[in-house]
Amino acid sequence: MLLQIEQECLDVYKRKVEQAAKSRAQLLQALSDAKLELSTLVSALGDKSFISIPETTLGTINEQLAAIAPALEQLLKQKEERVKEFSDIQSQIQKICGEIAGNASEQTGAPAVDESDLSLKKLNEYQVKLQELQKEKSDRLHKVLEFVSTVHDLCAVLGMDFFSTVTEVHPSLDDTTGVQSKSISNDTLLRLAETVSALNEDKKQRLHKLQELATQLIDLWNLMDTPEEERILFDHVTCHTSASVDGVTVPGALALDLIEQAEVEVERLDQLKASRMKEIAFKKQVELEEIFARAHIEIDPEAAREKIMALIDSGNVEPTELLADMDNQIAKAKEEVLSRKEILDRVEKWMSACEEESWLEDYNRDENRYNSSRGAHLNLKRAEKARILVNKIPGMVDTLVAKTRAWEEDRGISFSYDGVPLLAMLDEYAMLRQEREEEKRRLRDQKKYGEQQNTEQEAIFSSKPSPARPSGTKKVVGPRANGGTNGTPSRRLSLNATQNGSRSATKDGKR
C-alpha cells in the first residue's frame, strides 16, 4: 500500500512537473510573442524615441512579461492612432483620385492600410501626395468654375437656357449644388471645353449672320431713304456691324428670335425694293452721272435712262441683277475717277492759271491801275502773284502733256475732258499762246517804229506833235475764239467769256 501510495504521489508529482513545464513553455511563448510583437511595432512605427523599451533579459518570465506589457500596450495604442491617421489620409486621397477619375460614387469602404509600415516618413509621403491632389483639385475646380461662367455668359448672349446646357455636361454643375460637390473629372473638363468651343463657334456664326443682315438693312435703308424712326427700331442689330466676337457681351444680342426678326425685315425691304425698282435705278443713275460729271467724262444720260426703263418694263432682267450691274458700273466709275484724279487736279491748276493770265492782261491794259483808288493795292498784290503763276504755265502744260500721254499709253484710250481730247486742248492752247506772243512782239515792234518816226519829225520840225495812239496799239489780241479768254475755246478750257475771266456754270453743268 505504501508502495502504491508512493507511486500515486510520484504520478501526481509528474503531472505537476508536466503542468509546470507546460506553463513555463506557454509563458516563454507568450514572452517570445510579446517580444516579437514589440519589435514588429517598433519596426512598423519606425521610431523608438517615444517609448522606453525595457531590457527583457533579467528577472523571471512573469517579471519580464510584466516589464514588456506597458510598452507593448502603449505601442499598440500608438499603432491604432497611426492606422487611423493613415486611413483618413488614404481615404481623402482615394476620394480625390475618384473625383478626378470620375468614379467617386463607385468607391465604397475605407482603403486598406499597410500596417507593416506606419512610420512618420510614410505618413509624410501620404500627406505630401494629399496636398498635391488637393492643389490639383483646387485648380480643376477653378477651371470648372471658369468654364461654367463662360458657358453662362455665352448662353446669355445667345439667348439659350444655361441650366439645361450645363446640366447636359454633368448634373453637379447646376448652381443649386455646392462648389465642392461639382464634378472635376477629366471627362467633365473635356465636355465643358467642347461645350464652350461649340458655343463660341455658334456665337461666331450668329454674329456673322447678324452682321450680314445689318449690312443688307443699311444698304436697303440708304437705297430707299428710310426715315430715322424706322432705323432706330433695329439699332440692336446694326450696332454690331463692326463688332468683334469677343466684343459682343450684351445678353440676348445674338438670340435666334432677334436674327429671325432681322431676316423678316430684310425680306420685307427686298420686296419693297422690287416695287420701287425704277425709282432706285434712277437714283443710282443720278449717282453715276454725278461721278462722271466730277471726272469730266461726257456721257449720254438720256440714253442710259431710256435703257433702264426698257429693261425694267420688259421684265427680262431681275431687279437684283439690274442693281448689281449698276453698282458694278458705279464701282468702275469710281476707279476711273481715281485714275484721272492727278491729271484733273493739274487741269484745274492750269485753268486757274489761265484765268489769272486773262485777268493780268486786262489789268495791264488798265491805264488807271496805279491810281490811289480804293482796293488798288490789293490788285497790285494779285498782279504780282499772277505774274509768278503765269510764268509757270508752260511748265504746267508740259507736265500735263506728259502725264496725259502716259495715262493714254497705259490705258490705250484717249483722255477726254468734257468730251474733248485733252491733248488737243493743250496743243490748241500752246498754238494760241504762241500766236499771242508773236502778236505782242509785233505790237512792240510797231510801237518802237512809231516812236522812231516821232523822233525824226521832232528833229525836222523842232516841235513835238501831240501824242496820238498809234493804230498798231489797239487791242490786237483778237476776238476770243468761241467766247473763251486768251483766245482759248471756253468749251475746251472751261473758261468764262467775260473780261475778268471768272468761272461760270452752263446749263449742262460744264464750266
Side-chain angles (χ1 to χ4, degrees):
M1 187 175 284
L2 287 173
L3 184 62
Q4 186 178 359
I5 292 171
E6 182 181 355
Q7 186 63 39
E8 290 177 357
C9 288
L10 184 60
D11 292 339
V12 171
Y13 175 74
K14 285 180 179 180
R15 287 197 302 273
K16 292 290 185 183
V17 170
E18 288 175 358
Q19 288 178 357
K22 189 176 180 181
S23 177
R24 181 175 180 276
Q26 290 176 348
L27 287 174
L28 287 173
Q29 184 63 40
L31 180 62
S32 176
D33 292 342
K35 286 181 179 180
L36 180 60
E37 188 175 2
L38 185 66
S39 63
T40 302
L41 288 172
V42 170
S43 175
L45 294 174
D47 201 337
K48 300 178 182 179
S49 60
F50 299 107
I51 302 296
S52 176
I53 300 175
E55 295 293 335
T56 58
T57 58
L58 301 176
T60 63
I61 298 175
N62 283 325
E63 288 175 350
Q64 291 179 27
L65 280 172
I68 290 175
L72 188 60
E73 183 181 354
Q74 193 169 356
L75 285 174
L76 286 170
K77 188 176 181 181
Q78 279 190 7
K79 177 186 176 183
E80 185 180 350
E81 293 174 353
R82 192 71 59 83
V83 168
K84 187 175 182 304
E85 291 179 1
F86 270 87
S87 180
D88 290 342
I89 290 178
Q90 287 180 331
S91 295
Q92 295 181 53
I93 291 174
Q94 182 180 355
K95 181 181 177 184
I96 295 176
C97 289
E99 290 176 353
I100 292 173
N103 56 0
S105 59
E106 299 175 5
Q107 297 175 357
T108 57
V113 178
D114 182 12
E115 296 184 4
S116 63
D117 187 1
L118 299 173
S119 62
L120 291 175
K121 180 181 177 182
K122 189 70 173 179
L123 185 64
N124 288 333
E125 290 177 1
Y126 277 115
Q127 287 176 341
V128 169
K129 184 177 180 180
L130 177 61
Q131 289 174 356
E132 291 175 354
L133 288 171
Q134 286 174 337
K135 185 177 183 303
E136 184 178 355
K137 177 181 177 179
S138 176
D139 294 341
R140 285 170 171 264
L141 189 60
H142 183 64
K143 281 185 180 179
V144 167
L145 293 177
E146 280 187 349
F147 277 132
V148 170
S149 176
T150 304
V151 171
H152 181 274
D153 295 340
L154 289 171
C155 287
V157 173
L158 298 174
M160 298 172 61
D161 185 11
F162 164 70
F163 295 106
S164 63
T165 303
V166 81
T167 49
E168 283 181 6
V169 177
H170 198 277
S172 66
L173 299 179
D174 193 352
D175 283 346
T176 57
T177 59
V179 174
Q180 296 300 326
S181 302
K182 296 188 183 299
S183 173
I184 58 171
S185 66
N186 292 329
D187 182 62
T188 300
L189 285 171
L190 179 61
R191 294 184 65 185
L192 276 173
E194 291 174 349
T195 302
V196 170
S197 177
L199 290 174
N200 274 322
E201 184 63 26
D202 195 12
K203 179 182 179 182
K204 182 179 178 181
Q205 292 177 358
R206 290 194 190 185
L207 179 61
H208 181 67
K209 177 68 175 176
L210 193 69
Q211 287 176 339
E212 285 183 346
L213 292 171
T215 304
Q216 293 176 24
L217 280 175
I218 292 172
D219 292 342
L220 290 168
W221 287 340
N222 294 335
L223 197 62
M224 294 183 286
D225 293 329
T226 303
E228 194 65 29
E229 295 77 14
E230 292 186 23
R231 302 189 185 197
I232 291 176
L233 299 176
F234 289 89
D235 273 350
H236 54 285
V237 176
T238 56
C239 65
H240 300 303
T241 305
S242 58
S244 62
V245 176
D246 297 332
V248 181
T249 57
V250 179
L254 300 177
L256 284 176
D257 55 347
L258 186 145
I259 296 176
E260 290 173 359
Q261 180 185 3
E263 287 177 339
V264 170
E265 180 64 14
V266 168
E267 185 177 355
R268 184 186 72 83
L269 291 175
D270 273 333
Q271 294 174 353
L272 183 61
K273 180 182 74 174
S275 64
R276 297 175 56 189
M277 183 50 58
K278 289 184 180 179
E279 179 185 346
I280 296 169
F282 285 147
K283 182 179 177 182
K284 285 189 176 292
Q285 179 61 27
V286 169
E287 182 182 355
L288 186 62
E289 291 170 6
E290 289 175 353
I291 293 172
F292 281 133
R294 288 197 299 270
H296 294 277
I297 299 174
E298 194 173 60
I299 59 172
D300 188 356
E302 292 299 326
R305 291 170 186 268
E306 290 175 3
K307 182 180 178 182
I308 292 171
M309 285 286 293
L311 285 173
I312 294 175
D313 292 338
S314 67
N316 295 329
V317 63
E318 288 291 329
T320 53
E321 293 179 4
L322 176 61
L323 292 182
D325 180 63
M326 297 195 70
D327 288 335
N328 190 30
Q329 292 181 38
I330 291 172
K332 288 182 179 178
K334 289 179 178 178
E335 291 178 4
E336 184 74 10
V337 169
L338 287 177
S339 71
R340 295 167 61 93
K341 185 176 185 305
E342 182 181 2
I343 295 177
L344 290 176
D345 290 343
R346 292 181 181 275
V347 170
E348 291 294 323
K349 293 179 181 178
W350 167 55
M351 290 183 175
S352 297
C354 289
E355 291 180 2
E356 288 300 301
E357 183 182 26
S358 174
W359 179 87
L360 183 62
E361 286 189 358
D362 292 341
Y363 177 77
N364 289 335
R365 285 195 293 268
D366 186 5
E367 296 179 356
N368 299 322
R369 61 183 179 275
Y370 296 120
N371 292 349
S372 57
S373 60
R374 186 175 183 181
H377 66 290
L378 298 177
N379 288 333
L380 187 59
K381 287 183 179 180
R382 180 180 176 183
E384 292 174 1
K385 293 180 180 179
R387 289 187 186 96
I388 295 172
L389 187 59
V390 168
N391 290 332
K392 295 180 181 179
I393 289 180
M396 289 183 183
V397 173
D398 292 341
T399 304
L400 193 52
V401 169
K403 292 283 184 183
T404 306
R405 284 177 179 165
W407 188 92
E408 291 182 349
E409 289 176 3
D410 183 49
R411 301 238 168 188
I413 57 175
S414 174
F415 189 102
S416 297
Y417 187 92
D418 290 336
V420 180
L422 182 58
L423 287 178
M425 292 171 60
L426 294 171
D427 290 342
E428 184 176 352
Y429 173 78
M431 291 173 58
L432 292 173
R433 186 179 179 85
Q434 186 177 358
E435 290 176 2
R436 286 200 309 274
E437 293 297 328
E438 291 176 358
E439 182 72 14
K440 287 180 182 178
R441 194 160 44 249
R442 189 177 66 79
L443 290 175
R444 282 198 300 268
D445 291 344
Q446 286 183 359
K447 184 177 181 182
K448 185 177 180 182
Y449 177 76
E451 288 176 353
Q452 287 179 354
Q453 292 291 330
N454 289 338
T455 305
E456 291 175 0
Q457 288 181 4
E458 185 178 355
I460 294 173
F461 299 105
S462 300
S463 64
K464 191 173 182 180
S466 60
R469 182 189 297 268
S471 61
T473 59
K474 292 172 68 179
K475 295 181 183 178
V476 199
V477 289
R480 294 173 184 161
N482 297 327
T485 59
N486 295 336
T488 309
S490 63
R491 184 172 68 88
R492 299 185 183 181
L493 297 183
S494 302
L495 301 179
N496 197 1
T498 56
Q499 292 294 333
N500 59 7
S502 63
R503 305 179 189 179
S504 66
T506 58
K507 273 186 182 179
D508 58 354
K510 301 174 185 174
R511 287 194 186 127

